[in-house]
Amino acid sequence: MKILLIADPGIPVPPEFYGGHERLVYLFAEEYQRLGHQVTLLAGPESSISGKVYTFGRNDLKRSKIQKIRELIYVWYLLTLKRNQFDVIHNFGRLLYLLPVLKNPVKKIMTYGRGVSANGIQKISTFNPKNLIFTACSNYCVSTGNVAGNWRTVYNAINFSDYFIQKQVLKEAPLMFLGRLDKIKGVHTAIKVAKATNHTLWIGGNIPDTLDNYQYYKQEIEPYIDGKQIIYLGALNNVQKNQYLRKAKALLFPIEWNEPFGLVMIEAMACGTPVIGFKKGSVAEVIEEGITGLIVNTINEMINAVDKVVFIDRYICKKRAEAKFDIKVIARQYLNIFDNTH
């Protein structure tokens, strides 16, 4: 099968640090290739996979609207020129990229990793597209866009073989927070939980660059970072995430918004590290209660869960998550959708 994967420019595929969606595209590209398919990637500069790569746009998340229009025109030109060269177009970028091939019989998958614009789905559906299926990374995420069209839930994935388990950690092992240091991610709550339970907290993630979140970081996070109990590790690459996650007692996921998926949860599980997460967005779909983590509703429940999490078997945690979220499992789910689209 000849498969074209499309990702927005802004961050290269694969990313070095932040870029969960771009990492996902890379994993699919490599797994499809490993299974014998011919893969082409259309993504931002410096992107690289085992197959063929077309690059476009700029690696700049703050690029202008004019630049994004230029990128859109380039994708339209390329798809118009080469649309008959592919059996499947798997789009992780803008929905508008698919406009030139909506009536073309080529199989099309539009995948969402964040909340969906229902208005965009309604508009694109007025074209009566052929062989187009929408997927999103959780039932919650599907619910944000399922106003028209053919929808499926396909969870996000990681390569579990890249993560190493530590089957036992000490009762006083550090807790960990991993993610952008934005207010909606709740790192301030993680700090309160660590202090209330007398645990060290490792914090890994990018310092925000938006004004409101940078002020939040300066006022509510930075004053508590002492290098002893509350330790900021910086932005972590895959090797570093692996190193810290497997030594942590638990990953805290105290989100204040409806997270569409949360890759860091399954990255922790891949190390055998259970997750304690607030019941918002996809959390109840990702965490298997008492097996891969604990689902809570309040900060007091999260504090109490820190002692309970030691009863979770870390080996079983990894194996149960792997059976549901490993790249080999999820890639085959997509290939089944490709095969059954007509």
Side-chain angles (χ1 to χ4, degrees):
M1 191 182 299
K2 295 178 181 178
I3 302 172
L4 173 66
L5 296 176
I6 305 176
D8 285 324
I11 298 173
V13 175
E16 183 179 3
F17 294 107
Y18 172 74
H21 215 53
E22 290 76 16
R23 188 167 290 110
L24 195 64
V25 172
Y26 177 76
L27 289 175
F28 282 122
E30 297 302 299
E31 182 62 14
Y32 293 154
Q33 193 87 9
R34 189 187 70 82
L35 292 170
H37 301 286
Q38 187 176 321
V39 181
T40 301
L41 173 67
L42 176 57
E46 300 174 31
S47 295
S48 176
I49 63 166
S50 297
K52 188 172 184 178
V53 179
Y54 293 102
T55 61
F56 73 113
R58 293 179 186 169
N59 286 333
D60 177 6
L61 293 177
K62 296 181 178 179
R63 60 200 190 282
S64 67
K65 289 184 179 180
I66 294 296
Q67 175 60 28
K68 290 182 178 180
I69 290 171
R70 291 193 190 106
E71 293 166 359
L72 187 62
I73 292 170
Y74 176 81
V75 175
W76 287 349
Y77 166 76
L78 194 76
L79 287 185
T80 301
L81 197 65
K82 299 182 179 293
R83 58 189 170 188
N84 296 321
Q85 296 180 14
F86 302 106
D87 302 304
V88 174
I89 297 173
H90 192 174
N91 183 25
F92 291 81
R94 297 172 66 184
L95 176 58
L96 276 175
Y97 290 161
L98 295 178
L99 200 58
V101 292
L102 285 179
K103 291 291 190 179
N104 190 280
V106 63
K107 297 176 182 180
K108 296 167 283 289
I109 308 289
M110 178 66 221
T111 292
Y112 289 94
R114 55 182 66 88
V116 183
S117 166
N119 186 47
I121 301 300
Q122 288 173 327
K123 285 180 178 178
I124 213 78
S125 295
T126 62
F127 289 89
N128 295 316
K130 290 184 178 179
N131 296 338
L132 173 62
I133 290 180
F134 299 100
T135 69
C137 58
S138 63
N139 293 333
Y140 165 74
C141 197
V142 166
S143 73
T144 66
N146 191 8
V147 293
N150 188 352
W151 284 83
R152 314 277 175 85
T153 296
V154 184
Y155 292 122
N156 283 345
I158 58 173
N159 187 349
F160 272 68
S161 64
D162 287 342
Y163 295 80
F164 302 100
I165 188 172
Q166 188 160 318
K167 293 183 181 178
Q168 289 185 324
V169 297
L170 296 174
K171 188 177 181 180
E172 61 271 18
L175 301 170
M176 186 159 188
F177 174 92
L178 185 61
R180 296 194 318 275
L181 306 188
D182 293 353
K183 189 175 190 302
I184 60 171
K185 296 291 188 174
V187 65
H188 58 286
T189 302
I191 291 171
K192 291 176 183 176
V193 171
K195 286 186 170 293
T197 59
N198 199 29
H199 280 76
T200 297
L201 177 68
W202 287 334
I203 300 172
N206 300 64
I207 294 174
D209 56 7
T210 58
L211 181 59
D212 56 343
N213 280 306
Y214 183 70
Q215 289 176 340
Y216 157 76
Y217 168 78
K218 296 296 286 185
Q219 294 169 7
E220 298 190 48
I221 308 304
E222 190 176 55
Y224 297 98
I225 296 171
D226 57 14
K228 295 177 181 178
Q229 184 180 13
I230 311 300
I231 301 170
Y232 177 54
L233 304 170
L236 304 180
N237 61 28
N238 279 354
V239 173
Q240 293 167 322
K241 282 193 287 187
N242 202 328
Q243 174 188 347
Y244 286 104
L245 279 171
R246 70 174 181 264
K247 295 176 182 176
K249 182 176 183 176
L251 176 78
L252 301 183
F253 199 67
I255 52 171
E256 297 190 350
W257 73 307
N258 288 318
E259 184 86 41
F261 186 80
L263 273 173
V264 295
M265 289 193 285
I266 60 173
E267 288 177 325
M269 294 169 189
C271 297
T273 301
V275 181
I276 306 173
F278 282 159
K279 190 177 182 180
K280 292 179 180 292
S282 67
V283 167
E285 296 177 62
V286 178
I287 297 175
E288 191 173 352
E289 178 71 19
I291 305 296
T292 61
L294 298 170
I295 302 166
V296 297
N297 295 291
T298 66
I299 185 170
N300 286 334
E301 288 182 10
M302 184 168 280
I303 289 168
N304 293 332
V306 170
D307 284 335
K308 298 175 184 176
V309 83
V310 297
F311 298 108
I312 290 177
D313 186 304
R314 293 169 74 94
Y315 177 79
I316 293 175
C317 172
K318 175 170 180 137
K319 289 302 174 185
R320 288 291 275 267
E322 185 172 14
K324 190 173 181 179
F325 302 115
D326 185 62
I327 186 62
K328 293 181 177 63
V329 174
I330 302 300
R332 289 195 178 277
Q333 289 180 17
Y334 270 118
L335 290 170
N336 287 337
I337 293 175
F338 299 162
D339 289 340
N340 295 321
T341 302
H342 51 76

